[in-house]
Amino acid sequence: MDPTQILPQFGNAAFTLGAFVVALSVIVAIHEYGHYIVGRWSGIHAEVFSLGFGPVLVSRRDRHGTVWQIAALPFGGYVKFLGDANAASVGQAAGTDPARLRHTMLGAPLWARAATVAAGPVFNFILSIAIFAGVMLVQGRPADPLTIARMLPLPDAYVNELRAGDEILAIGGAELPSEGGVARLAEGYPAEPVLDYRVRRDGREMLVRGPYPQPPLVGGVSPRSAADAAGLRAGDLILSLDGSEVFAFAQLIETVTASDGRPLEMTIWRDGATRDLTLTPRRVDLPREEGGFETRWLLGISSGLFFEAATETPGLGTALVDASAQVWRIITSSLSGLGHMITGAISSCNLSGPVGIAQTSGAMAEQGATSFIWFVAVLSTAVGLLNLFPIPVLDGGHLVFFGYEAITGRQPGDRALRLLMALGLSLILTMTVFAVLNDLFLCP
């Protein structure tokens, strides 16, 4: 790959970089604030709270004596506690005064140090749960019974007698499930382009005709996917794929799965006009619900409905439970994926480095504020999980040291600590270089 082609892949490089900086800054600020506020509650004094590294652009000292600053390089941040010789909280320079020593990271009780270190990742998870729950509360969930709020435009060839306000009771003679109605709209119905819909309209039940519940309509496009590269957009209706007309999203899956990665010709309908595209499916490792991964050929699109469903607002408790479950799914699938990559069961192309994350940030921002905010939540979970890895320099490494201290009754020796920190930093830098090379050359 020619390095001069890297920037054009970003599309608008400035927009992409800006989206990445915004996402990273929010996540880092929340992470470091977790360290700061729990440290303050635990009696550990923070001398500096920095968003970014390098030359200081803006700074202010608060009434607690902490300097809050924004630095020139917006790719991280740190909290420097009293007595820290550096931003990694290694080394002690607070003297021997007991009163002063209690307010340092190294001189505070073990519980205070452990709570302060663990607070960073925990605050990342809290941010993710808050965002996921907030989006669920704002967007709502499909009403029961499933009700059409607005019809989407369809080509004239599509038969559609449904209207806004219709309550869908059955499709093709099959009752609509009361739980997960939208998610299960493609299950158990005859594979026909036109089906009978039993609906309740203005208080009366009647039969009308409509298209297959999940037509080949693009509901969303995954960043850095075959569909993204070809220019597909949410709302595009696919009329034909690989020379065959399609009326159901499931037909797309069958054709792409059987393609074995060869280029596919596609005709789409967008804004009342048709256009032809060529897409080459990409090989992707996907997690299974029962565990493990499966390798499939994908275009990188999700399905959409031919109507917008009316929504209802879930309770706060339900939203928080669902949001917590979403965070847990991200954590478990990430750990499973990492394990499979280490053993060679799946490709290292499933690992995204700084370049890949920046590209995804820009692509999600282009899709709209909701998509970008959702991505920030996903990335925040990933950052929290990464920081819990038992690698010196990371929060997880510090927690391992605290565990050693809890068992042995003494802190690790200063020389051993510095050696382990150097090894940890070398490992992190090596992983970062590999991830960047992976993004740019191995899996572009």
Side-chain angles (χ1 to χ4, degrees), residues 248-319:
F249 195 86
Q251 294 173 305
L252 303 180
I253 298 175
E254 294 175 0
T255 301
V256 173
T257 300
S259 70
D260 200 30
R262 62 182 172 82
L264 300 174
E265 300 296 324
M266 174 185 290
T267 299
I268 66 170
W269 185 82
R270 178 190 295 169
D271 299 330
T274 60
R275 62 183 66 192
D276 297 323
L277 301 173
T278 300
L279 293 84
T280 302
R282 296 183 180 178
R283 211 169 158 178
V284 180
D285 297 305
L286 298 174
R288 296 191 183 100
E289 288 187 8
E290 62 275 15
F293 283 76
E294 63 175 335
T295 301
R296 290 171 51 188
W297 294 99
L298 298 178
L299 296 181
I301 59 176
S302 58
S303 61
L305 304 176
F306 61 92
F307 62 88
E308 289 183 1
T311 60
E312 57 188 12
T313 303
L316 177 59
T318 299

Side-chain angles (χ1 to χ4, degrees), residues 6 9 15 26 29 43 133 156 158 222 271 286 322 345 358 362 387 404 430:
I6 294 174
Q9 288 186 3
F15 180 82
V26 170
D156 294 337
Y158 269 68
S222 299
D271 299 330
L286 298 174
D322 290 347
N387 272 276
Y404 171 85
T430 300

Side-chain angles (χ1 to χ4, degrees), residues 110 113-114 396-414 416-417 420:
L110 181 59
R113 287 177 277 141
H398 285 284
L399 293 174
V400 170
F401 296 148
F402 296 153
Y404 171 85
E405 182 180 346
I407 294 171
T408 64
R410 56 188 176 86
Q411 297 181 5
D414 190 62
L417 198 61
L420 290 172

Side-chain angles (χ1 to χ4, degrees), residues 15 42-43 88 125 147 179 181 197 256 277 325 347 359 369 393 406 409 433 441:
F15 180 82
S42 303
F125 299 144
T147 304
E179 294 294 331
Y197 284 70
V256 173
L277 301 173
S347 170
Q359 290 176 318
V393 177
V433 170
F441 302 105

Side-chain angles (χ1 to χ4, degrees), residues 179-360:
E179 294 294 331
V182 171
R184 297 174 57 187
L185 273 180
E187 298 180 7
Y189 305 120
E192 302 290 342
V194 181
L195 295 173
D196 289 330
Y197 284 70
R198 181 161 59 86
V199 302
R200 183 182 293 114
R201 180 183 295 171
D202 299 328
R204 294 189 306 114
E205 290 191 12
M206 62 178 65
L207 282 178
V208 295
R209 296 184 302 163
Y212 193 81
Q214 281 193 324
L217 183 68
V218 179
V221 178
S222 299
R224 306 174 67 203
S225 64
D228 188 26
L232 271 180
R233 303 177 190 167
D236 288 344
L237 181 67
I238 300 171
L239 303 179
S240 67
L241 182 65
D242 200 29
S244 300
E245 293 186 0
V246 291
F247 62 84
F249 195 86
Q251 294 173 305
L252 303 180
I253 298 175
E254 294 175 0
T255 301
V256 173
T257 300
S259 70
D260 200 30
R262 62 182 172 82
L264 300 174
E265 300 296 324
M266 174 185 290
T267 299
I268 66 170
W269 185 82
R270 178 190 295 169
D271 299 330
T274 60
R275 62 183 66 192
D276 297 323
L277 301 173
T278 300
L279 293 84
T280 302
R282 296 183 180 178
R283 211 169 158 178
V284 180
D285 297 305
L286 298 174
R288 296 191 183 100
E289 288 187 8
E290 62 275 15
F293 283 76
E294 63 175 335
T295 301
R296 290 171 51 188
W297 294 99
L298 298 178
L299 296 181
I301 59 176
S302 58
S303 61
L305 304 176
F306 61 92
F307 62 88
E308 289 183 1
T311 60
E312 57 188 12
T313 303
L316 177 59
T318 299
L320 289 174
V321 169
D322 290 347
S324 299
Q326 177 71 17
V327 169
W328 182 246
R329 281 192 294 271
I330 296 171
I331 291 173
T332 54
S333 62
S334 297
L335 291 175
S336 177
L338 181 61
H340 281 75
M341 277 188 280
I342 292 174
T343 60
I346 63 175
S347 170
S348 63
C349 291
N350 291 278
L351 175 68
S352 289
V355 176
I357 295 173
Q359 290 176 318
T360 304

